[in-house]
Amino acid sequence: MLLDQYRIRQEPYYRPLKDEVELFGAAYANRMPVMLKGPTGCGKTRFIEYMAWRLGRPLITVACHEDMTAADLVGRWLLDAEGTVWSDGPLTTAVRLGAICYLDEIVEARQDTTVVIHPLTDDRRVLPLEKRGELIHAHSDFQLVISYNPGYQSAIKDLKESTKQRFAALDFGYPDRSAETEVVSREAGIEPNLADLLVKIAQHSRNLKGQGLDEGASTRMLVNAGRLIGCGISLEKACETTIVVPLTDDADTRNTLRDVISASA
Amino acid sequence: MLLDQYRIRQEPYYRPLKDEVELFGAAYANRMPVMLKGPTGCGKTRFIEYMAWRLGRPLITVACHEDMTAADLVGRWLLDAEGTVWSDGPLTTAVRLGAICYLDEIVEARQDTTVVIHPLTDDRRVLPLEKRGELIHAHSDFQLVISYNPGYQSAIKDLKESTKQRFAALDFGYPDRSAETEVVSREAGIEPNLADLLVKIAQHSRNLKGQGLDEGASTRMLVNAGRLIGCGISLEKACETTIVVPLTDDADTRNTLRDVISASA
Amino acid sequence: MLLDQYRIRQEPYYRPLKDEVELFGAAYANRMPVMLKGPTGCGKTRFIEYMAWRLGRPLITVACHEDMTAADLVGRWLLDAEGTVWSDGPLTTAVRLGAICYLDEIVEARQDTTVVIHPLTDDRRVLPLEKRGELIHAHSDFQLVISYNPGYQSAIKDLKESTKQRFAALDFGYPDRSAETEVVSREAGIEPNLADLLVKIAQHSRNLKGQGLDEGASTRMLVNAGRLIGCGISLEKACETTIVVPLTDDADTRNTLRDVISASA
Amino acid sequence: MLLDQYRIRQEPYYRPLKDEVELFGAAYANRMPVMLKGPTGCGKTRFIEYMAWRLGRPLITVACHEDMTAADLVGRWLLDAEGTVWSDGPLTTAVRLGAICYLDEIVEARQDTTVVIHPLTDDRRVLPLEKRGELIHAHSDFQLVISYNPGYQSAIKDLKESTKQRFAALDFGYPDRSAETEVVSREAGIEPNLADLLVKIAQHSRNLKGQGLDEGASTRMLVNAGRLIGCGISLEKACETTIVVPLTDDADTRNTLRDVISASA
Amino acid sequence: MLLDQYRIRQEPYYRPLKDEVELFGAAYANRMPVMLKGPTGCGKTRFIEYMAWRLGRPLITVACHEDMTAADLVGRWLLDAEGTVWSDGPLTTAVRLGAICYLDEIVEARQDTTVVIHPLTDDRRVLPLEKRGELIHAHSDFQLVISYNPGYQSAIKDLKESTKQRFAALDFGYPDRSAETEVVSREAGIEPNLADLLVKIAQHSRNLKGQGLDEGASTRMLVNAGRLIGCGISLEKACETTIVVPLTDDADTRNTLRDVISASA
Amino acid sequence: MLLDQYRIRQEPYYRPLKDEVELFGAAYANRMPVMLKGPTGCGKTRFIEYMAWRLGRPLITVACHEDMTAADLVGRWLLDAEGTVWSDGPLTTAVRLGAICYLDEIVEARQDTTVVIHPLTDDRRVLPLEKRGELIHAHSDFQLVISYNPGYQSAIKDLKESTKQRFAALDFGYPDRSAETEVVSREAGIEPNLADLLVKIAQHSRNLKGQGLDEGASTRMLVNAGRLIGCGISLEKACETTIVVPLTDDADTRNTLRDVISASA
């Protein structure tokens, strides 16, 4: 079956921050659309994979971007030997067959993309395929989930009020120190002590946000650093390669970060 | 029959605000084009579904967006095994077969979309399919309805005077307290007391419009909150998830909203 | 015959303003291109339909818009089972078969549209179909007519001098009080007294142009109001729905208009 | 033969201004590219038709516009039942078969259009069809002629220096009074006295250029006025319709023009 | 063979300015990419034709322009009766079969065009046809040459540093007086005395660069003037037509140029 | 096998700067995405070719540019005799078959290109082909590498924070004097003394960065100069052709560079 490739086969590792698992469960029980808000690399994608596994539903993820149109979501006519045949897009597949559809960074997409989800996110729960003259009533298992990074949006690129008001929303952030240590230790396969040291470095870097850095080091960066260390690279070199050089090109900010690392090591 | 999928099978729940049902009826008797004006989530879509049910006409709804062109409404040539075949768009289907066509947020669409409706909205009642060399005289049951949110329009994106003057227009707003309580109670399946409490919270939030909020909580948000409460989520958590977090990312405005909720609870 | 659908079968009701019928007749006798100038809803479309009926010529009307290209007027290659076949656009049909072609609001169209009409509007009277390698000499009955609303044009969107100078031009405006009363009474099927009252309201509203209104109420709006009244709606409600709400969203201007209506009623 | 439709069958009426016929003849003898410079409606198109007739060469005219691309001039692949077939554009037809190709208002076209003519306008006289992998050596009768209205060009839309320097250039302007009278009398079929009167009116209007008018009345407008008079329209009404109303919407400038007309009549 | 049409059959007339023939020869021996820099009409195209003849290599010239994309250079899929077939572009033909490819005014092209040449202009000498999944190793005779007019480039339209640094570059300018006289005399077929007179006029005009003229008269213009004189046109008329009118529309600058011509004659 | 054309057959000459070989090896062991940062012509491309050779993996390089879309990377539907067939893009080929995919100057590409790599650069290591309804799990040998020139990026064209944080990053710069001398001597086939002299010239030119030059002479330019000298061109002429003329059109900066060259020679 087509949906099989979208099933999560193993329980993804996910450490809850607060009550997001309970709230998401209640929203899904109502098939209420949900918006995940939070900075990059803090675990939104992992959370939705975990919930899809927990609820036993297939998950179709679409990474949205500036050039994405409604047709990329909904489907299009393709020319075949027997003429044009309709090809369902990922959203239509989810709507028809009953998957959770996760639109990652929806605000990046072109506006027609956000409008296409309106009739799916109120009591109608329908998807009109105007180019095909078909009106699909959503499968009873279907749910729409979107992500949204509040720090990025400009005035031009924001969700319209009439879109926002259709979603229940959950806030995400970096986990607290002990939780993040647990995540890094597990994901990078390193000792908790070393993971804790990396978390302290990250927390220092997050205080530099707005003072030379656009964003502090994410949990993902710490996992990368831990993995290089696991290959025999020294802590300083590993942090230089996975944190300092990727985060900034400014010499002063780099030195500040290096001081933080030396002090922590 | 193709139109069957567009028939409203059950009476939609709709609670009239003023005399809009009578006025719409008189407009339809003249097949006069109608414009529904009002903010997001206040019931325009529900109203047109109710009127379509009441008048016994199929309803074809099109959510307009920035990338929508006249071809999306009117139709296009598709390549088939026997060559190109013409495929009617949703507006053409409504014109030919006699449905009410509802163009939601028409000003979002590209300008050619608004021009295409001109010959349908005066005494000619014709739709020229220029790409096909056909001139369709509208079915006697056909009516055109558009929606329009006055708060959103910029100078650039507004209806042209020559478009506006073709429509009878109806104003929509949030219902009064007792009416809104009735709606929320019924839609969310919660007690009137609890619904009334949610309405009071919404009315407070609407006073914050322009003071941190672009728009107050809509009736739709209250229904969402009520449904989560119905799943055993506490009032505070439900309002946090369906009202506070979706409406704003500003910490101060969030706290103001939380104070309103605590005070009401 | 293809042109039959473009014939005006019944004499359209048209009440001349000045000598426009005579002047248009002389221009048509010379097959001179004509430009109709004037505000929205004052009867330009009705006039050209009347002249087409009077001259016994089919009328092909094209509503121009921002996304319209020369190909939409002239025609294009379509893919068929036997390969590509040429499909004449509405202008080409008129040129080949001898209709009056009316390009409504030509300045809205993309510039290639205006250039395509140049060789048709001087002594050559030819239409080159460059994509087809064909040069069509216009049918002896063919005439080109365009409309133009002087109030709308910005510096960017105006006819080029080399286009303007090819046309004879006729000015249109609102009819005088007794003429407009006659039109409204006839079109809406209401008593002359009531029609006169609506005309007085419209004339007041036209004085508000530039003072809150972009344009006053057109004759078309008065007909709409009259028709609602004919269905049993009160004068105030009918004017509110067809004049006040469509014309403006500004509360003060709305009240001014309501005062005018109450004073007239 | 394909070129036959582009032959000028009758001697076009053309009254030389200066030595342009001799100069063009010498340029053609060298197959030197020629640029015709001058305002709208002063006879550039008629001149090139006359020269094509005099030299016995077919004339392919292309009205350039903003959306015109090199493919519109050069040709393109079309899909046919046997696959894609190449279709020559008008420039390629002229190059291959030996016509004069007249690109009217070349600066309006997209830049790729001007670049495509470079290898045709130096000693190489070749046209590379890159999309077809073919290099055409121009027929020995081929010549390229372009027109250019110096008054219109903005800094953005001008010929590149490397294009300009490839052309011999001829200046065109309005003919002197007696010559213009002769043209108007002949073209409109009216008495010389009346034609002279119209020419005087035009000369007055040309003095208003820059003082309310973008351009004075062209010879073409006088012919239009003369033709309406020939149908029994009065001088004042004819001038109002063919000169005053087309030239300007400004009430004061219109009155100035009307005074000029009354004074002349 | 396909390349045959790109061979230069006769030795092109070229008069060296400095040591450009020797330097180009050394660059070709290394298959080093070369950039020809200099103003319009000074002989860059003639030089590359001469070098291609001298080195015995076919020459494929592409005039670049704003709308040119990488596909125009590299090739594209075309639909044929047996499905899509790949069609090599001019650059790919040169790379595969071993020609000199001359990209004239490369900075005019869209940026993807300049990027496509990167892997051809370092030691890899490969052209990836991504759309075809093919990696072509350049024929050992292939060389890439581009031209560049330093006076034209704006900040927006310039070669990227990473492109510039891949090319050896040769400066071109107008030849000195005796050399230019020789060129004009030979190309226009006129006496050296007359040619010298034209060169003096051109040199005066070049001093007006920046004082009313964007660029002085090129050698090409002098050849045009000489050819008209050879057809019996007077020196003044010939210079008026090939130099004064093409170069400027400003009346004062035209008179200055006419004074120069009269003084020289 | 398709990948064979992407294998590096001979060990590329590469002289390590610091510990980049060890760090890249550890990153590859974790299949961690890597970003190479540094100025033009300093050896990033050579480094990745060396690492691909050393790790024994095929290397698919894509030069990114402004007009590149996700479809150019991922693949597209092509029309064939039997209907549409899917054609993998270079990234998909690398993901499926297990190559290193090197996206050169990724920030030049359109944003959809960067988004497409997100699910490949976290623990999912999947590539969704939305247009095909397929989800590819990356081959265990696949690794993604991108390059990035920090000096070029404007605020508009930069990697998003959510992209940057997925990569380990390595800094590249010009090698030190003795290392660069070794490279130039080897690549150009000239004596170390002469190579050292060219390196000194380059180092002087790099000090002029920001004082007339956008960038100093790259190692690549020195190799070009050395190769011309190897063909018997003098040092001055070789440097003029490969360094002075390509780097700048400013007369003063050119003279400064010439002084540097004369002083070094």
Side-chain angles (χ1 to χ4, degrees), chain E residues 130, chain F residues 34-36 44-45 48 59-65 68 72-74 90-92 94 100-109 113-117 120-121 142-148 167:
Chain E
E130 278 133 21
Chain F
V34 175
M35 177 193 301
L36 312 183
K44 297 190 295 292
T45 301
I48 188 63
L59 174 69
I60 299 183
T61 299
V62 182
C64 300
H65 53 79
M68 198 173 83
D72 293 325
L73 280 183
V74 161
L91 176 62
T92 306
I100 296 174
C101 186
Y102 179 51
L103 305 179
D104 198 8
E105 300 205 39
I106 180 87
V107 290
E108 297 294 337
T113 313
T114 54
V115 168
V116 102
I117 62 180
L120 276 171
T121 49
F142 169 75
Q143 186 197 24
L144 189 73
V145 182
I146 65 178
S147 81
Y148 179 86
F167 288 84

Side-chain angles (χ1 to χ4, degrees), chain D residues 188-236:
Chain D
I190 55 174
E191 292 299 309
N193 282 358
L194 183 57
D196 180 59
L197 202 150
L198 290 169
V199 170
K200 276 193 293 180
I201 292 172
Q203 287 182 339
H204 280 295
S205 81
R206 291 167 195 163
N207 293 332
L208 293 173
K209 185 171 168 176
Q211 301 169 48
L213 289 184
D214 286 335
E215 198 121 357
S218 63
T219 311
R220 173 177 291 141
M221 282 182 147
L222 305 185
V223 174
N224 275 350
R227 286 176 181 170
L228 286 193
I229 294 170
C231 283
I233 306 291
S234 72
L235 176 79
E236 279 81 1

Side-chain angles (χ1 to χ4, degrees), chain A residues 67, chain F residues 65-74 76 109-110 112-113:
Chain A
D67 302 308
Chain F
H65 53 79
E66 240 176 44
D67 302 307
M68 198 173 83
T69 65
D72 293 325
L73 280 183
V74 161
R76 50 170 54 84
R110 293 215 327 238
D112 57 348
T113 313

Side-chain angles (χ1 to χ4, degrees), chain A residues 6 8 12 75 91 101 147-148 164 212 256:
Chain A
Y6 297 108
I8 313 290
L91 176 63
C101 186
S147 81
Y148 178 87
K164 274 187 195 171
T256 309

